[in-house]
Amino acid sequence: MTAVGIDAIEIRTGKLRLDLPETFAPAKGEDPGKYAKGIGIQYSSLPDVYEDIVTMGANAARELMDRRGLVPEDIGRIDVATESAFDNSKPVSTYIAGCLESVYDGDFHHANKGERKFACLSGTQSVDDAYNWIRAGRNRGRAALVIATDTALYARGDPGEATQGAGAVAMLIDEDPNIVALSTEQGYGSADETDFLKPNQQFPSVDGKRSIQVYLARMREALEDYESVAGDTHPDDFVYFPFHTPYPGMVRKAALLGYRHITRNTEVEDALAEDIGMQPREDDYGSREDYEEAIRGYMDELKETRRYQEWYEQAIDPTVDISGQVGNWYTGSVHVARLSALRAAIENDVALAGEKLLVGSYGSGAQAEIHAETVQEGWHEEVDAADVDQQLDGRYDLSFEEYELVHDAHNHEKEVDVDAFTQPSGEFVFTGWGRMNERRYEYVE
């Protein structure tokens, strides 16, 4: 069976950044450690006034296509995943295709276009759709372009304000991929939840404590479901574990839960038992409450063991580096986590070809998906070519007062006149509104 997976990847970050410990925390009168060490974010990426989900997605896609020498006729499908859409009928993919057609010869008239919505999970769902389309033999030799693009903004003063971010991830899905091949096995955990939602509103309504609980519960269910078809997992089976990363602090919780699960009934649990005992078994307790209290106690001890901390440092920590520099990208967050891990492997000269990743995606509302990916021979060259460092280092540093202005500029309920903080060059930009209230774009040389 021919492998299908991610053949190329590019990102586009918002061109502004807010330093949380140094700028945001003092303005809020808060401890800087709450951000860099607590939630794990140093900088939030924010869009300049001429940037939005279309420009970031189109710019990431164009960079990918140019680097790979692709033209519109090579693409048979364009899927956009977002929870920041501004039109309830016309998909963002059509706007992005229109941008790209303005700079390429040819068009995407025979490419299937769509838009996926399931909170942050929809980026992975779009990859799944492209995978299935190719596997079904309906692609006619063409590749799929999957773009996850979001502006994760919160109301001023909301607890989620510190996790804000803006950016896009463009991925080429094709046969014989250069980066990772996707497994046929998947696991799901899904339930009707109201942990995070946007009922006809721009900024989300979030039950923070509940959201963490739902995230962990759905991830556990998805892992159990994945193991029902792929067999038991083990820490040694996977070199990295990219998780959905709204902020690195939440990944710490998911990683601990996952490690406990995948070490159960293994030699790892036996070795750990010398220091912290065996994992509690529900049959040994008189009530569910007693069992859950024992589990919490076990996990408190587990996270302090050297064995767990070494595993976390090797398998999880590399996945959250970029997230800590850009904040939450919603639909793109797990794909940023994968890219972060692969970049760390390059920096540390880790040989990855043939190794596996266990990828955990999540979307509020709520659903999680677990699947495996096998790193391919061409991964190093493709990941090394992605334009990441230049974008991260080239962002404009906002003062708190400037942050307030740009936040107002992107607040749909406000009309403010804010000058751009950066000068666009060689990119797509938002230029205003058309006769039917549509958003308009052009390419700036």
Side-chain angles (χ1 to χ4, degrees):
M1 183 184 292
T2 303
V4 176
I6 302 173
D7 191 45
I9 188 168
E10 281 290 348
I11 71 166
R12 184 73 174 199
T13 182
K15 296 173 75 172
L16 312 176
R17 73 179 187 184
L18 177 66
D19 189 318
L20 296 184
E22 298 298 323
T23 302
F24 187 79
K28 293 286 188 176
E30 295 177 327
D31 178 7
K34 172 182 177 180
Y35 301 102
K37 295 180 181 179
I39 65 174
I41 299 178
Q42 176 74 35
Y43 300 105
S44 288
S45 280
L46 297 166
D48 208 333
V49 296
Y50 56 84
E51 294 185 292
D52 65 9
I53 57 174
V54 171
T55 66
M56 293 185 296
N59 286 320
R62 182 174 187 241
E63 183 69 24
L64 185 155
M65 291 181 65
D66 283 354
R67 180 164 58 79
R68 292 299 300 271
L70 299 174
V71 294
E73 289 77 10
D74 297 318
I75 306 298
R77 185 181 183 106
I78 302 176
D79 289 299
V80 169
T82 185
E83 55 181 283
S84 310
F86 45 76
D87 192 304
N88 290 327
S89 178
K90 180 178 165 66
V92 172
S93 56
T94 59
Y95 284 97
I96 289 178
C99 287
L100 295 173
E101 286 172 347
S102 71
V103 298
Y104 288 113
D105 292 331
D107 57 55
F108 296 96
H109 289 189
H110 298 291
N112 188 16
K113 306 178 186 77
E115 183 177 303
R116 261 283 195 170
K117 180 180 72 175
F118 199 141
C120 304
L121 176 66
S122 60
T124 295
Q125 289 181 320
S126 294
V127 172
D128 291 341
D129 290 341
Y131 174 94
N132 294 334
W133 172 72
I134 294 171
R135 274 269 178 257
R138 305 177 75 175
N139 60 319
R140 293 182 254 161
R142 299 171 297 172
L145 189 59
V146 170
I147 302 164
T149 181
D150 273 298
T151 53
L153 295 181
Y154 290 75
R156 297 295 312 283
D158 188 282
E161 188 179 6
T163 69
Q164 293 175 137
V169 182
M171 294 169 281
L172 190 71
I173 312 301
D174 205 354
E175 296 178 293
D176 296 318
N178 279 304
I179 301 180
V180 294
L182 277 64
S183 66
T184 56
E185 300 86 8
Q186 296 167 294
Y188 297 99
S190 186
D192 179 15
E193 301 282 1
T194 54
D195 55 317
F196 174 111
L197 65 163
K198 299 179 183 178
N200 295 317
Q201 61 194 49
Q202 178 186 8
F203 301 131
S205 298
V206 186
D207 183 337
K209 184 176 181 180
R210 177 64 179 158
S211 187
I212 294 173
Q213 294 170 342
V214 173
Y215 173 65
L216 297 177
R218 301 292 82 77
M219 281 290 200
R220 184 190 68 249
E221 291 172 351
L223 181 56
E224 291 170 347
D225 191 43
Y226 171 77
E227 289 183 324
S228 74
V229 292
D232 291 342
T233 54
H234 188 282
D236 296 341
D237 293 342
F238 306 96
V239 64
Y240 296 118
F241 294 73
F243 285 101
H244 165 58
T245 310
Y247 55 92
M250 186 176 280
V251 172
R252 296 186 202 119
K253 299 177 185 295
L256 183 62
L257 179 70
Y259 189 78
R260 179 180 68 83
H261 181 94
I262 64 179
T263 57
R264 195 179 181 95
N265 298 321
T266 69
E267 78 285 357
V268 177
E269 182 187 9
D270 294 337
L272 287 166
E274 298 178 8
D275 295 322
I276 62 174
M278 299 293 284
Q279 294 188 28
R281 266 61 174 178
E282 188 168 3
D283 290 345
D284 295 334
Y285 293 85
S287 68
R288 179 73 183 181
E289 290 76 15
D290 290 343
Y291 168 67
E292 290 179 348
E293 182 178 352
I295 284 290
R296 287 192 292 269
Y298 178 86
M299 291 176 67
D300 286 343
E301 293 188 73
L302 176 62
K303 69 182 177 183
E304 300 299 327
T305 64
R306 176 174 295 182
R307 186 155 191 159
Y308 172 75
Q309 291 174 356
E310 289 178 350
W311 173 81
Y312 185 94
E313 182 178 354
Q314 295 170 5
I316 302 294
D317 204 42
T319 71
V320 301
D321 178 65
I322 296 178
S323 175
Q325 300 180 63
V326 301
N328 189 1
W329 283 11
Y330 284 164
T331 57
S333 69
V334 72
H335 306 292
V336 167
R338 178 199 296 106
L339 179 61
S340 184
L342 296 177
R343 281 169 45 82
I346 292 176
E347 293 172 4
N348 295 305
D349 199 25
V350 178
L352 281 187
E355 299 288 351
K356 291 185 176 182
L357 316 178
L358 192 67
V359 179
S361 300
Y362 172 77
S364 291
Q367 183 165 297
E369 178 194 316
I370 299 284
H371 69 259
E373 299 175 355
T374 303
V375 182
Q376 302 297 288
E377 291 290 341
W379 75 275
H380 191 293
E381 180 179 356
E382 284 296 329
V383 172
D384 197 38
D387 177 26
V388 178
D389 289 332
Q390 184 176 354
Q391 291 188 56
L392 296 181
D393 295 340
R395 291 173 294 174
Y396 176 89
D397 282 300
L398 293 165
S399 68
F400 188 78
E401 292 74 19
E402 290 172 330
Y403 159 67
E404 291 181 305
L405 287 173
V406 78
H407 191 283
D408 286 347
H410 291 289
N411 185 339
H412 297 168
E413 296 182 356
K414 294 185 177 182
E415 292 185 9
V416 295
D417 186 13
V418 180
D419 291 332
F421 296 92
T422 62
Q423 182 67 38
S425 176
E427 61 191 293
F428 299 105
V429 300
F430 167 66
T431 59
W433 307 93
R435 65 182 181 85
M436 295 179 67
N437 203 35
E438 78 275 17
R439 296 175 75 87
R440 303 296 297 271
Y441 301 91
E442 68 179 33
Y443 182 77
V444 175
E445 296 286 352

